[in-house]
Amino acid sequence: MRIGRAGALTDTGRRRTQNEDTFVCEPPLFAVADGVGGAQAGEIASRLAATALEERLPGAYGEDTLAALLREANERIYQHSLDDRTTAGMGTVVTALLVDEAHGALAVGHVGDSRAYRVRDGQLEQLTTDHSLVGELVRTGRLSAEEAEQHPHRSVITRAVGTEATVAVDTFTITTAPGDLYLICSDGLTDVVRDHEIVSLIAAADGDPHAAAESLVDAANRGGGIDNITAVLFEIVEGEPAPAPARVAAVPEEATADPELPEADTEAVTAPAAEVRRHGPGDGNRWLALAAIVLALVAATLLVWWGLTR
Ligand code: MN
């Protein structure tokens, strides 16, 4: 199996003046981050988290990879809030999905109340459980899912990335199947649009992830648009995984073994990824350009020589 089409959309909504949500839609990595904090701090926090995730080393998969990336994000946000006191207390909830196409596995890492769902055989299944006061009550059976949807304190989260020196990341792995559609979204969608509406809007979009993202965001805005709204969707289809991009081949052997590395090595692990991204494809292009120039020069010389000898 492999990742098929993907689509993502974020929208400020109708009540807020800023969008503190950020998404990552870089197959095989997908994530939604919903920032919290005064002024523009929430936006800074969610962007810092997305940046940390995007520095994932090509070839690194699994729960350990996601947990290490989210701990790295936690460190950066927390440090930023210490360095710049105007951002004190900022943080972000993050839900990230990492697909290992070769093994048909999908790792989930999450902190907070952005949710991951799967649509399989027309059924919507919530994969994550919210790290929120209401979520805890539902988990312990003191509140039904229906009561939770209407609860006045449903947006009070119990965990976030970057608000403290350390963070507890929940991770798990599921098996994917062709035909699966995955959705990650911020609470700006799920607080307004009910599960049965989500599944019918996705069905109406005929499984097209981008069209589905648009109609989900539209539905949340029609329902008031009380918060920033973000939806990231992708499908799993039949077939061989796409060949790895050229830069993956340039990664040294020990670096690709990243999932096995202890968390303390996160810094060392993320650095080569940026290196490879900056230099990998560029070098190849330069050699190609040089070869083309040499060939053109040889051809020109031959033409001139041919012209003179006639
Ligand atoms: Mn939100």
Side-chain angles (χ1 to χ4, degrees):
M1 58 116 245
R2 62 180 179 86
I3 299 163
R5 295 167 298 174
L9 194 62
T10 186
D11 190 88
T12 306
R14 290 187 171 164
R15 303 269 186 87
R16 304 278 175 97
T17 54
Q18 280 165 340
N19 191 348
E20 300 190 319
D21 286 4
T22 306
F23 66 76
V24 176
C25 185
E26 291 190 5
L29 179 67
F30 306 89
V32 167
D34 177 352
V36 288
Q40 279 162 12
E43 199 177 331
I44 295 170
S46 67
R47 285 190 192 284
L48 282 171
T51 304
L53 283 168
E54 284 164 353
E55 288 175 17
R56 166 190 158 266
L57 197 70
Y61 295 101
E63 294 174 42
D64 293 349
T65 296
L66 281 182
L69 289 170
L70 290 177
R71 281 193 293 264
E72 174 66 19
N74 191 83
E75 223 169 285
R76 291 185 195 179
I77 296 165
Y78 187 67
Q79 191 55 50
H80 192 292
S81 73
L82 295 180
D83 295 343
D84 174 4
R85 297 308 290 169
T86 64
T87 63
M90 72 171 171
T92 184
V93 302
V94 184
T95 293
L97 270 52
L98 178 57
V99 185
D100 182 352
E101 292 175 309
H103 297 96
L106 185 153
V108 182
H110 84 111
V111 177
D113 65 353
S114 287
R115 291 176 180 172
Y117 290 91
R118 171 170 66 196
V119 182
R120 182 179 276 181
D121 301 327
Q123 300 290 316
L124 188 76
E125 183 190 350
Q126 189 178 326
L127 301 173
T128 52
T129 42
D130 299 346
H131 298 135
S132 65
L133 284 180
V134 164
E136 308 292 344
L137 293 175
V138 172
R139 228 185 330 274
T140 52
R142 283 181 285 171
L143 207 66
S144 74
E146 291 70 35
E147 288 168 327
E149 282 177 357
Q150 307 300 328
H151 201 284
H153 300 308
R154 63 181 180 274
S155 61
V156 179
I157 51 171
T158 50
R159 262 195 237 179
V161 176
T163 50
E164 287 169 52
T166 59
V167 66
V169 181
D170 276 7
T171 63
F172 56 91
T173 301
I174 56 171
T175 305
T176 59
D180 282 353
L181 188 101
Y182 293 88
L183 162 69
I184 320 171
C185 56
S186 60
D187 62 344
L189 177 71
T190 48
D191 274 354
V192 177
V193 186
R194 298 278 77 88
D195 283 8
H196 70 269
E197 291 176 81
I198 290 177
V199 75
S200 64
L201 286 167
I202 290 173
D206 220 7
D208 174 13
H210 191 76
E214 275 181 348
S215 63
L216 290 171
V217 167
D218 285 350
N221 273 325
R222 276 198 307 276
I226 50 172
D227 191 4
N228 306 143
I229 312 142
T230 304
V232 175
L233 298 102
F234 62 94
E235 58 178 3
I236 297 293
V237 296
E238 206 84 64
E240 288 298 306
R247 67 166 188 264
V248 175
V251 177
E253 198 63 45
E254 63 269 27
T256 55
D258 166 52
E260 306 306 319
L261 290 176
E263 63 181 283
D265 285 338
T266 308
E267 197 75 45
V269 167
T270 48
E275 276 272 306
V276 171
R277 229 170 265 186
R278 272 199 305 275
H279 303 305
D283 287 343
N285 289 343
R286 219 173 303 148
W287 283 114
L288 265 180
L290 194 63
I293 289 168
V294 169
L295 268 177
L297 277 176
V298 169
T301 310
L302 280 174
L303 268 176
V304 168
W305 176 78
W306 180 70
L308 286 177
T309 54
R310 276 174 61 98

